[in-house]
Amino acid sequence: MIKLGQYNELTIKRMVDFGAYLVDDEGNEVLLPKRYLSGDERPGDWGRVFVYNDSENRPVATTEHPVAQVGDFALMRVSDVNQVGAFLDWGLENKDLLCPFREQRVKIAKGRSYIVRVYLDEPSQRIVASAKLDKFLSKRRPNFYHRQKVDVLVTQRAELGYRVIVDNHFWGMLYSNEIYGDINIGERHTGFVKQVRDDGKVDVTLEKIEKARVDDLSTVILDYLKAHGGEMPLTDKSDPASIMRQFNCSKKDFKKALGQLYKLKKVTLAPDATRLA
């Protein structure tokens, strides 16, 4: 079955003057217009194409790459607004994406950009956009574990940071005091789950796992020093096996943790020992 609004792996069935007819495993056909052909194609060749509706609502294939396909959230710029709704630039040369008025959370203005969800309107079989994001996000409590790696889409500035969409399914929050760099609406980042709140929303951080690992190790080292008279024979020059035996970590992480504690003036480093400052 050829999927509208998505990428499809299709085979050329026959060549015509105005392009090539592509077919799926079930024999369904779609036209790939001549402008997307190099001239070297032959029946039996196959490839990956995006299938959408043309201006007459007929399925057509393209080798262009839209900003998003059906099921995706993405930031898109409004190229025009008329009596039907807003038309968004989704990366196809001859086709803007309609966001009907009924799918606008606030009045959409030409020239501005908005986060929308691309979906297939089943009754009309048209690919459209919606700015009403809530209805596409899950209401169930996600089953994430602590520090799980997730995809994060930045959607909106909030009082405490940024509202984000996590793994394309859940609302989340990225807090300002944990952002070390520029963040822009519409950007995708790799994030890590801090916690799932009682309301089902997900607190995430962009801190890499290594930093969390080093932070935890720093705490362990401090606790060890306090429990052993403020001194230990391990230093950043110690052999990896000794470090592994005592702290079950790599020498690389151990050196970073010591360096972090030294910068915070919590330890002093000597050639043969590490001591509490």
Side-chain angles (χ1 to χ4, degrees):
M1 178 178 175
I2 295 177
K3 297 178 180 178
L4 276 174
Q6 297 183 43
Y7 290 99
N8 293 259
E9 297 284 348
L10 303 176
T11 303
I12 296 178
K13 182 178 181 180
R14 66 183 189 278
M15 308 296 297
V16 292
D17 291 341
F18 44 87
Y21 278 97
L22 313 181
V23 65
D24 66 6
D25 293 338
E26 299 175 359
N28 301 300
E29 291 186 351
V30 64
L31 174 68
L32 178 66
K34 187 176 182 178
R35 64 179 176 274
Y36 300 119
L37 298 172
S38 66
D40 298 326
E41 294 84 0
R42 296 291 182 270
D45 291 347
W46 63 277
R48 186 170 183 257
V49 295
F50 182 76
V51 179
Y52 67 102
N53 302 105
D54 65 12
S55 57
E56 297 181 22
N57 205 32
R58 298 172 301 188
V60 65
T62 178
T63 55
E64 296 179 294
H65 300 283
V67 173
Q69 58 180 328
V70 165
D72 290 341
F73 295 93
L75 180 71
M76 296 188 197
R77 185 176 180 276
V78 181
S79 56
D80 195 17
V81 178
N82 63 18
Q83 69 276 11
V84 178
F87 289 86
L88 313 176
D89 179 2
W90 69 326
L92 298 182
E93 183 178 355
N94 296 308
K95 179 72 172 181
D96 284 342
L97 183 65
L98 173 65
C99 181
F101 287 119
R102 68 176 183 277
E103 295 296 334
Q104 298 178 21
R105 188 174 56 83
V106 296
K107 188 175 181 180
I108 288 181
K110 181 179 179 179
R112 297 190 63 182
S113 296
Y114 301 84
I115 299 287
V116 296
R117 165 82 169 213
V118 182
Y119 74 100
L120 181 66
D121 180 62
E122 295 290 349
S124 66
Q125 283 295 290
R126 290 181 181 272
I127 306 161
V128 291
S130 175
K132 295 181 177 180
L133 308 184
D134 277 318
K135 69 180 187 178
F136 298 99
L137 294 169
S138 178
K139 303 299 187 294
R140 67 178 176 85
R141 193 175 191 274
N143 189 30
F144 291 128
Y145 58 83
H146 180 60
R147 304 301 301 181
Q148 181 172 337
K149 184 186 290 188
V150 291
D151 176 75
V152 173
L153 173 65
V154 183
T155 66
Q156 183 182 3
R157 189 77 170 87
E159 184 178 354
L160 297 177
Y162 291 87
R163 292 187 81 194
V164 298
I165 293 174
V166 181
D167 271 4
N168 213 46
H169 283 96
F170 305 99
W171 277 121
M173 177 63 72
L174 176 64
Y175 294 95
S176 295
N177 62 354
E178 297 178 346
I179 297 173
Y180 305 99
D182 294 331
I183 291 289
N184 298 299
I185 305 300
E187 289 181 345
R188 290 190 179 276
H189 295 271
T190 296
F192 304 94
V193 174
K194 291 176 58 184
Q195 68 170 344
V196 177
R197 304 203 303 262
D198 291 339
D199 61 3
K201 294 182 174 61
V202 187
D203 289 342
V204 296
T205 177
L206 301 186
E207 292 181 89
K208 289 182 169 48
I209 289 176
E210 181 182 73
K211 185 179 188 310
R213 199 167 59 230
V214 170
D215 287 345
D216 291 343
L217 180 57
S218 297
T219 300
V220 171
I221 291 172
L222 282 178
D223 290 343
Y224 179 88
L225 288 169
K226 292 172 183 177
H228 291 80
E231 181 176 329
M232 67 177 178
L234 295 175
T235 71
D236 57 356
K237 306 298 183 185
S238 298
D239 67 278
S242 298
I243 294 169
M244 177 61 73
R245 276 195 303 271
Q246 185 58 61
F247 291 106
N248 194 33
C249 70
S250 68
K251 182 172 181 176
K252 178 182 176 182
D253 282 355
F254 182 76
K255 289 178 68 174
K256 288 188 175 183
L258 283 186
Q260 181 171 286
L261 292 171
Y262 180 79
K263 288 179 182 179
L264 294 172
K265 299 182 179 180
K266 293 186 176 182
V267 301
T268 60
L269 304 177
D272 61 345
T274 299
R275 301 181 178 90
L276 282 174

